[in-house]
Amino acid sequence: MKKAVLAVVTGAAVVAAALVPSGPAVQAATEDTAVQSAPRGFGSALSSVRAKSWQTNASVNALAVAGNLVFAGGLFTRVRPPGNARGVGDAARKYFAVFNRSTGVPTRFAPQVNGPVWSVATSPDGRRVVIGGDFTVVDGVPRSKVAMFDVATGKLVANWDPVVNYRVAALRITGTTVYLGGSFGAVDKQARSRVAAVTVSSGALLPWNPDADDDVHAIEVSTDGSRVFVGGGFTRIGGRDQHALAMLNATTGAALSMPAAAAIPPKSEECDSRVKDLEVQGNKVFASNAGTHSEQCYDGVLAADTKTGKLLWQSKCLGATEAIKAIGNWLYKGSHAHDCSADGAFPDKTGMHHLLVYSTITGKLGPWFPNTDAGGTTLVGPLAFASGGDDLWAGGDFTEVNGVPQEGLTWFSSAPGGAAPARPAAPKVASARPNKVTIAFDTVLDRDNIALTYFVYRGSTRIGSWSRSSTWWTKPIVTSVTDSRLTSGQKLSYHVEVSDGRNVRKGPSVSVRVR
């Protein structure tokens, strides 16, 4: 039997190896790089495939999770099953709805709220959920901009009744304290400018008073509870000039040193960049921004140390970032990113990319590319995230997810499978030299992988495998393979298969006669 020789050319790299048409040990020796497999079918913590859930008839502004429940607040007034048009099979859920985290179906926990909900938070033990917004009555009882529910019963907590005079847009609950942020100026008729704290047990106002001079959009707390992170549009807070991002003493409210805040440009007529969301994971705090007044105003994401406040990394993608959530070593973001060339990724004019992921370690874009629309020319897309640790719920003003109608609410799971790679095209084959066939194939795209493994087959015989990385913002890599020491006059067929570690797509075959 004639022995074949395989040569591989990718750009300037050439690899040659002896090949016998059978035997796995010989086949492995022909691989030019290690195969990077993703056993679950996706490269980050989550699949890019949308899981089924009910949807809303308007924007979801806030999300939180407790146990097997997902709490959603927003501007919506009705919810409906996936795949249904507005008004078909829907149910009343005005401004606040609770869904089963496993099925995406609404529960019977359905409080009556008379105004929009802009923030939702759950207690660390999962026993309480607090909502904030513009409302004044909940379940027929006066509640001024903030209300607490017992998760087990779905009932208002009767004696918990802080009176806030304007919108509550940010909430964070610890074991003893509920932190409030927003546009308000007083709590229980005492001056509290846009940020305040009350007790979990009774709702009593605490003396903590950082006094922000502009709106607060996000609040987070360090894992040890000693520091409170605040994001918004302020330029002074906690007795210190500090723009958009601050680290505060949890006891006194005094601003602590936060060097990472200097990475956010100062407020000007040309650029007003505000922190819209915060996330704490271990010793890192992440902050996401949305800029106004200019297309070049900072819209990025940064990571800082929770103790020193020092900057760890920063992404400068353009396109307002409204929501972030850390899961494992990945930071998921909801935005309308349109230009990530500053990060070495996609340039402007490649469309809007509303769902992306970063490595929490390096800040580099990772392998997760589902997408939503923005529901219209003046809307944003994703506005809020929540997770139970192995899933991601996204709310916003979108009307489509991955090109399929789904309004206001969606979620992604970590269930094995993920999106399959695109089907590879038929390779280009030629036999220009005696006893040799050249096979050339292009890389393809996968919504939740960058590195894919390509297999080239002669008939049913695998002649080699190669790992290649591909993204939509780079040109496809062309790999040229030379299959040598073939028998002249033979008619052979070749095809390419591509795998993400779980899903395999087979391309069409093409034939060639050996010269």
Side-chain angles (χ1 to χ4, degrees), residues 320-383:
T321 305
E322 299 285 343
I324 49 175
K325 179 57 64 176
I327 303 172
N329 290 329
W330 301 100
L331 183 72
Y332 294 84
K333 84 163 185 173
S335 69
H336 58 268
H338 58 88
D339 184 353
C340 286
S341 56
D343 292 354
F346 55 88
D348 203 1
K349 297 183 173 38
T350 61
M352 296 292 184
H353 307 286
H354 297 279
L355 294 168
L356 295 169
V357 70
Y358 295 99
S359 164
T360 59
I361 300 167
T362 66
K364 301 298 184 184
L365 279 175
W368 193 69
F369 307 110
N371 209 357
T372 72
D373 66 350
T377 57
T378 62
L379 303 180
V380 175
L383 296 171

Side-chain angles (χ1 to χ4, degrees), residues 110-184:
Q112 302 297 306
V113 183
N114 76 337
V117 172
W118 292 92
S119 53
V120 183
T122 52
S123 60
D125 61 8
R127 295 175 58 195
R128 297 285 189 265
V129 58
V130 178
I131 62 173
D134 298 333
F135 52 85
T136 57
V137 178
V138 178
D139 286 343
V141 179
R143 284 293 185 270
S144 185
K145 313 300 187 290
V146 65
M148 178 185 283
F149 298 92
D150 183 297
V151 170
T153 66
K155 303 296 184 182
L156 271 176
V157 176
N159 297 321
W160 198 90
D161 186 21
V163 176
V164 185
N165 74 333
Y166 205 66
R167 178 180 296 171
V168 174
L171 289 163
R172 179 68 167 85
I173 309 177
T174 68
T176 60
T177 305
V178 179
Y179 293 96
L180 317 174
S183 309
F184 53 85

Side-chain angles (χ1 to χ4, degrees), residues 55-109:
Q55 53 188 323
T56 61
N57 68 343
S59 174
V60 171
N61 301 327
L63 290 167
V65 168
N68 202 40
L69 298 177
V70 177
F71 303 90
L75 307 182
F76 57 87
T77 57
R78 303 190 72 81
V79 297
R80 65 187 188 275
N84 285 17
R86 284 190 182 186
V88 179
D90 62 356
R93 290 293 190 277
K94 198 169 184 180
Y95 306 126
F96 185 53
V98 185
F99 299 87
N100 182 293
R101 187 174 148 232
S102 301
T103 65
V105 175
T107 71
R108 287 185 287 181
F109 186 165

Side-chain angles (χ1 to χ4, degrees), residues 290-315:
T292 60
H293 305 331
S294 166
E295 288 188 359
Q296 300 301 310
C297 188
Y298 175 67
D299 290 319
V301 177
L302 63 79
D305 187 279
T306 56
K307 292 184 178 179
T308 66
K310 291 182 178 179
L311 184 69
L312 300 175
W313 56 258
Q314 184 177 28
S315 163

Side-chain angles (χ1 to χ4, degrees), residues 199-494:
T199 64
V200 169
S201 58
S202 67
L205 183 64
L206 293 169
W208 193 75
N209 185 15
D211 191 27
D213 69 349
D214 204 337
D215 289 354
V216 168
H217 303 303
I219 300 178
E220 260 289 2
V221 179
S222 62
T223 54
D224 65 3
S226 67
R227 293 170 299 284
V228 178
F229 300 94
V230 178
F234 49 82
T235 56
R236 186 170 180 81
I237 189 171
R240 174 182 290 197
D241 291 337
Q242 191 87 30
H243 173 51
L245 176 62
M247 179 166 62
L248 309 176
N249 184 295
T251 302
T252 66
L256 305 173
S257 176
M258 187 74 183
I264 300 170
K267 186 175 181 178
S268 68
E269 291 184 3
E270 291 76 29
C271 178
D272 181 6
S273 182
R274 298 173 171 235
V275 169
K276 300 304 292 287
D277 201 7
L278 292 166
E279 172 81 348
V280 166
Q281 184 191 57
N283 63 353
K284 294 187 180 77
V285 57
F286 305 96
S288 67
N289 278 60
T292 60
H293 305 331
S294 166
E295 288 188 359
Q296 300 301 310
C297 188
Y298 175 67
D299 290 319
V301 177
L302 63 79
D305 187 279
T306 56
K307 292 184 178 179
T308 66
K310 291 182 178 179
L311 184 69
L312 300 175
W313 56 258
Q314 184 177 28
S315 163
K316 295 184 178 180
C317 284
L318 294 174
T321 305
E322 299 285 343
I324 49 175
K325 179 57 64 176
I327 303 172
N329 290 329
W330 301 100
L331 183 72
Y332 294 84
K333 84 163 185 173
S335 69
H336 58 268
H338 58 88
D339 184 353
C340 286
S341 56
D343 292 354
F346 55 88
D348 203 1
K349 297 183 173 38
T350 61
M352 296 292 184
H353 307 286
H354 297 279
L355 294 168
L356 295 169
V357 70
Y358 295 99
S359 164
T360 59
I361 300 167
T362 66
K364 301 298 184 184
L365 279 175
W368 193 69
F369 307 110
N371 209 357
T372 72
D373 66 350
T377 57
T378 62
L379 303 180
V380 175
L383 296 171
F385 282 167
S387 174
D390 60 356
D391 56 4
L392 180 70
W393 287 78
D397 53 24
F398 50 83
T399 59
E400 292 183 358
V401 180
N402 289 339
V404 176
Q406 177 73 20
E407 187 174 2
L409 182 68
T410 191
W411 68 290
F412 302 90
S413 79
S414 59
R423 189 186 186 204
K428 293 175 179 160
V429 297
S431 182
R433 292 177 290 173
N435 309 115
K436 295 181 180 181
V437 170
T438 300
I439 311 105
F441 62 90
D442 292 346
T443 51
V444 299
L445 297 178
D446 186 322
R447 280 206 312 266
D448 43 29
N449 287 280
I450 290 176
L452 298 170
T453 303
Y454 296 81
F455 304 95
V456 174
Y457 284 83
R458 180 199 316 122
S460 61
T461 300
R462 195 181 90 182
I463 66 173
S465 61
W466 297 267
S467 180
R468 295 286 182 265
S469 293
S470 53
T471 59
W472 81 80
W473 61 87
T474 56
K475 291 182 178 180
I477 297 171
V478 178
T479 300
S480 182
V481 178
T482 300
D483 197 8
S484 301
R485 296 186 183 176
L486 302 171
T487 301
S488 180
Q490 269 187 306
K491 188 176 183 180
L492 301 174
S493 69
Y494 293 88

